Amino acid sequence: MLPTQHAIAGIPGTLLFGLLVFFAVLAFVYSVSRRIRLLLALSPEWRFDRIGARIGKTLEYAFAQKRMFRDLYAGTFHIFLFTGFLVLTVRTFALVVEGLVPGFLLLPGRAGDSYTLVKDIFEVLVLIGVAMAVARRAFARPKRLDLTLDAWVILFLIALLISADLVSEGARVALHPGAASAWAPAVLVLSGLFAGLAAATLQAVYETCWWIHLVDILFFGNYLPYSKHFHILTAIPNIFFMKLDPMGRLGTPDLENSEHFGVSRVEHLSWKSALDGYTCTECGRCREVCPTALTNKPLDPKVFIGQLRDAVYEATPQVLAAATGRGNGSASAFAEASADGSAIAPPGAKAERKELVGGWLSEDAIWACTTCGFCTSACPVFIIPAVDKIIEMRRHLVLEKTEFPKEMQTAFRGMETNGNPWGISAASRADWAKDLPVVTMADAREAPIEVLFWVGCAGSYEDRAKRVSRSLVEILNAAGVSFAILGTEETCNGDSARRMGNEYLFQILARQNIETLNGYGVKKVVTNCPHCFNCIKNEYAPLGGNYEVMHGSELVSLLIAEGRIRMETPITQTISFHDPCYLGRYNGVYDAPRRILESIPGLRLQELPRSRERGLCCGAGGGRMWMEEKLGTRINQARMKEIAQAGTDAVGVSCPFCMVMIGNARDEIGASTVPFDVLELARRAMKQESC
Ligand code: SF4
Ligand code: SF4
């Protein structure tokens, strides 16, 4: 019998194999088409823009796996597995053809020596990759990974797949030495080991391993859509369809024409959110960095995205049935299903299912997020595990159910009535500047104004932040910058309202501010609050507000670089710098505050272990500034402990909320490190007579 003829128990091998492939492909197409049909049935979201940028990102992050190498060990074995998967796809097709057309692989020049070599090398690399993954799970499992049967099954299937192919090839070459290729060193080594075996044994080894390999592939393909390793198929599209808008820009819903506010059910999710769920690799990189997971709160982004995926899977029969009803013109079927989730369940589907919000995902978890964005920037497959999804769920809780932590009501009322979350009189918004040479836009109508100083609520009302506002005014005046403030015409930018789920209030505040800014023809804005900075820079544009926005640290570092102010008074201290999430991670401003600190004579900057892209949140973002922190340990204290351990005299901050959180934590834990805003230090270091 020729080694390429696969006869089993009298059934012609080709027929058996053909039937096997046919049913396996049929099952695969069925499973995957259900997953795709579900995406098509969910809320639309346009992700086919900026195709060139999408292709570039896909090459960078899917094929070159750039983010994976932040963990060198995991990056190394993943690149072995990923590239091996790509290389062996060709081999898989060749083997399937061989099964259907026996002798195909023996035809001369079929694969080519170079492919044979590449395949051989990558099969060995995949086995090394599997061994590395197994060793890590068995002996040095990081906390971010959970031990799951699914992972072991997948690793076993991959190892079996590769081993069976190598052994079958080794047996084939031992049986037919003329078929040996010097371009397949691993196969040659194996064939050497088999050299003394009888021809019948070699034939049996070859055929058995050939079948094991092929059956493994067919099983693997059908297991994937039900496994966390579905990401093998979805990671590339998920990266291609990544969010390209600024990270700090949330979606702006049309509130006038919305049938529901936010997300409470699977049916409300966008298809991209469901694709995120399909794609989670459960690597836990998001868990490792999340301040709420680190402080034992009921939000773990890895668990969150896993629960979202489970909810999507559970809802699939009903959503598909409803979509089919719609397709058949039965609009009421979908309406019914959307309303109570129990309608038109197909036979076998559960009639009842849990709500997404309050069922799969607890409200405590939804309110815990600080929107620091660390999970998003950590995810190797560009899932947004929490922020955008959580804000949508908060919108549902606030706008539809009016269910939210009661202390938020005070902040909402303050913003509604006085334009600031403290609820202090709007008329006193500019009192901090009464004794300073500051003009308002209204006063300066005729004068040329270079830049608008957006003071923000904290900069206007909070004692420490008011001192920073004064520092910036003195610096701008010393540098001869013509600027003005809005004074009592300024109102809260709306960031906190939006991130606490009150999209109505956000849009009211934002539109009011945009009208004021556009009315004065403002082009350039400087602000020292990263939340105002992100919001005006990134979130006003969809509502008609387009401005060049600088953070105070960016403008001041520029003034220093241009020699318009000089740092001449020494401050002899060591200092670290705490990166505000909405300045650094969201907007990439890392260097400007550091440049200021480094320009001050006597001041020695010492980086924190977690800094820049890896900086830990202070706990105030996402509206958490206005909520009590009752669960787990306190995030600001966790951060302050890290800062204190660095042993510097001071810590620099560039955000009024960070200043409050770090300052409170310092008092609470009795740390000696003193927080300063970098602009306060710049003001102190300026030549005194220049002020
Ligand atoms: S945004 Fe920050 S707090 Fe929220 S889940 Fe992600 S890492 Fe955790
Ligand atoms: S969301 Fe991303 S980072 Fe988090 S576990 Fe899933 S793949 Fe890993």
Side-chain angles (χ1 to χ4, degrees):
M1 184 190 297
L2 283 174
T4 51
Q5 291 173 326
H6 314 286
I8 289 186
I11 302 171
T14 304
L15 177 61
L16 177 65
F17 183 73
L19 287 172
L20 199 61
V21 170
F22 176 75
F23 284 113
V25 170
L26 205 64
F28 177 78
V29 169
Y30 171 77
S31 300
V32 171
S33 71
R34 278 173 66 80
R35 297 279 182 250
I36 294 173
R37 281 169 52 221
L38 180 91
L39 299 184
L40 296 174
L42 295 177
S43 298
E45 193 178 347
W46 184 248
R47 293 282 176 118
F48 291 92
D49 56 337
R50 294 167 273 184
I51 294 295
R54 292 190 182 282
I55 292 171
K57 299 273 185 199
T58 306
L59 292 174
E60 188 178 358
Y61 293 104
F63 289 96
Q65 305 224 331
K66 200 167 158 189
R67 280 193 178 179
M68 286 302 300
F69 282 96
R70 289 176 184 172
D71 176 341
L72 187 61
Y73 186 89
T76 304
F77 75 71
H78 267 102
I79 201 84
F80 289 172
L81 296 175
F82 176 73
T83 48
F85 175 79
L86 294 181
V87 169
L88 292 173
T89 302
V90 178
R91 169 73 174 165
T92 301
F93 278 115
L95 285 175
V96 170
V97 175
E98 160 77 358
L100 299 172
V101 185
F104 174 78
L105 288 180
L106 290 182
L107 294 177
R110 192 56 49 205
D113 285 341
S114 43
Y115 177 72
T116 305
L117 177 64
V118 169
K119 177 192 87 71
D120 214 55
I121 291 171
F122 275 92
E123 287 196 329
V124 173
L125 288 179
V126 170
L127 285 179
I128 293 172
V130 170
M132 288 173 75
V134 168
R136 194 174 60 145
R137 283 181 181 272
F139 307 116
R141 181 168 57 92
K143 266 172 72 180
R144 65 183 168 87
L145 285 182
D146 296 313
L147 273 186
T148 60
L149 180 63
D150 185 54
W152 290 117
V153 168
I154 288 289
L155 289 171
F156 171 74
L157 289 175
I158 295 172
L160 184 66
L161 187 78
I162 301 298
S163 308
D165 190 47
L166 283 170
V167 172
S168 76
E169 276 297 281
R172 183 175 71 86
V173 169
L175 200 54
H176 298 274
S181 168
W183 292 76
V187 167
L188 277 179
V189 169
L190 283 171
S191 71
L193 294 176
F194 296 151
L197 297 180
T201 308
L202 288 172
Q203 178 70 27
V205 169
Y206 168 63
E207 290 195 11
T208 305
C209 288
W210 191 95
W211 277 100
I212 288 174
H213 179 80
L214 265 300
V215 171
D216 188 326
I217 287 174
L218 299 177
F219 177 77
F220 189 70
N222 279 288
Y223 181 69
L224 281 185
Y226 303 95
S227 146
K228 73 161 188 148
H229 281 71
F230 196 29
H231 77 265
I232 290 174
L233 301 178
T234 60
I236 294 175
N238 201 57
I239 291 173
F240 180 83
F241 291 120
M242 71 166 68
K243 177 177 177 179
L244 288 182
D245 281 344
M247 181 179 168
R249 179 183 295 166
L250 296 171
T252 304
D254 176 359
L255 296 174
E256 305 262 307
N257 299 303
S258 294
E259 287 175 11
H260 60 85
F261 299 119
V263 164
S264 65
R265 305 183 49 74
V266 168
E267 286 85 347
H268 301 153
L269 289 171
S270 73
W271 64 268
K272 181 61 176 62
S273 291
L275 185 61
D276 279 351
Y278 291 175
T279 307
C280 179
T281 67
E282 295 184 8
C283 69
R285 289 171 190 235
C286 51
R287 163 190 290 173
E288 195 174 38
V289 298
C290 173
T292 66
L294 292 172
T295 54
N296 301 316
K297 296 186 174 47
L299 171 63
D300 173 336
K302 172 179 168 177
V303 173
F304 179 91
I305 199 78
Q307 288 171 328
L308 185 121
R309 175 185 55 203
D310 291 346
V312 165
Y313 283 176
E314 190 202 50
T316 297
Q318 288 178 14
V319 176
L320 291 184
T324 306
R326 266 184 303 173
N328 292 337
S330 172
S332 61
F334 179 68
E336 220 179 317
S338 295
D340 66 7
S342 60
I344 52 174
K350 284 185 206 162
E352 295 294 335
R353 62 182 159 92
K354 284 188 277 185
E355 289 277 331
L356 195 55
V357 175
W360 285 98
L361 306 166
S362 77
E363 293 188 16
D364 281 341
I366 289 164
W367 290 115
C369 182
T370 68
T371 71
C372 72
F374 208 166
C375 52
T376 301
S377 62
C379 180
V381 286
F382 282 78
I383 292 168
I384 300 181
V387 181
D388 298 38
K389 297 173 182 64
I390 275 183
I391 300 301
E392 296 250 38
M393 292 171 192
R394 288 182 180 180
R395 283 177 188 162
H396 163 75
L397 289 171
V398 171
L399 299 180
E400 287 202 346
K401 294 185 83 175
T402 54
E403 280 178 9
F404 47 82
K406 63 177 183 341
E407 61 273 20
M408 278 168 48
Q409 185 61 48
T410 310
F412 286 153
R413 199 178 303 119
M415 288 184 255
E416 281 163 11
T417 54
N418 284 301
N420 68 84
W422 286 280
I424 303 170
S425 163
S428 61
R429 194 170 184 100
D431 285 1
W432 64 274
K434 265 184 177 164
D435 56 337
L436 291 173
V438 179
V439 293
T440 63
M441 290 299 284
D443 294 337
R445 262 194 185 280
E446 305 305 322
I449 294 296
E450 209 177 321
V451 61
L452 172 90
F453 173 22
W454 180 276
V455 185
C457 298
S460 302
Y461 294 108
E462 200 276 326
D463 285 343
R464 182 66 182 267
K466 283 196 280 187
R467 277 158 47 193
V468 181
S469 300
R470 296 175 70 90
S471 295
L472 182 55
V473 164
E474 289 174 11
I475 293 170
L476 296 180
N477 279 331
V481 176
S482 71
F483 71 97
I485 61 173
L486 285 174
T488 53
E489 287 188 276
E490 184 184 287
T491 192
C492 178
N493 70 82
D495 160 83
S496 287
R498 176 170 249 200
R499 281 162 180 76
M500 289 193 289
N502 197 337
E503 181 68 14
Y504 258 126
L505 183 52
F506 163 73
Q507 292 197 16
I508 289 168
L509 294 168
R511 288 181 204 282
Q512 183 181 334
N513 285 322
I514 290 167
E515 198 181 319
T516 308
L517 292 168
N518 290 353
Y520 285 118
V522 170
K523 299 276 183 282
K524 284 189 184 176
V525 176
V526 63
T527 177
N528 202 43
C529 172
H531 299 270
C532 299
F533 172 69
N534 178 71
C535 192
I536 299 171
K537 181 182 165 85
N538 295 318
E539 303 206 287
Y540 279 14
L543 296 169
N546 293 287
Y547 318 103
E548 183 190 329
V549 187
M550 295 181 91
H551 185 254
S553 63
E554 290 182 293
L555 180 55
V556 172
S557 83
L558 196 67
L559 296 174
I560 294 170
E562 289 174 350
R564 290 171 72 176
I565 52 170
R566 291 205 301 276
M567 302 288 101
E568 293 188 342
T569 308
I571 300 176
T572 314
Q573 281 188 334
T574 53
I575 192 164
S576 59
F577 182 71
H578 163 81
D579 289 277
C581 301
Y582 278 82
L583 188 63
R585 198 149 34 238
Y586 275 93
N587 289 291
V589 180
Y590 295 110
D591 293 333
R594 288 175 169 80
R595 278 199 293 266
I596 294 173
L597 296 175
E598 283 165 350
S599 69
I600 296 175
L603 199 59
R604 197 165 61 78
L605 177 62
Q606 180 185 317
E607 290 291 354
L608 293 167
R610 276 201 259 211
S611 63
R612 300 181 71 97
E613 291 84 353
R614 294 190 44 75
L616 189 68
C617 179
C618 71
R624 291 290 325 172
M625 177 78 183
W626 317 109
M627 297 179 224
E628 288 172 21
E629 194 174 344
K630 295 174 187 156
L631 303 170
T633 53
R634 295 186 66 84
I635 295 173
N636 62 339
Q637 291 183 10
R639 183 53 168 164
M640 188 63 221
K641 281 177 191 160
E642 289 185 350
I643 291 168
Q645 275 164 12
T648 54
D649 302 315
V651 54
V653 295
S654 268
C655 170
F657 292 173
C658 293
M659 178 64 89
V660 170
M661 299 304 270
I662 297 291
N664 287 349
R666 175 181 183 259
D667 297 342
E668 287 156 10
I669 68 170
S672 60
T673 317
V674 187
F676 290 106
D677 192 286
V678 293
L679 298 193
E680 290 179 290
L681 296 173
R683 164 66 192 81
R684 263 173 61 190
M686 267 192 328
K687 202 175 172 191
Q688 294 308 305
E689 60 270 27
S690 63
C691 303

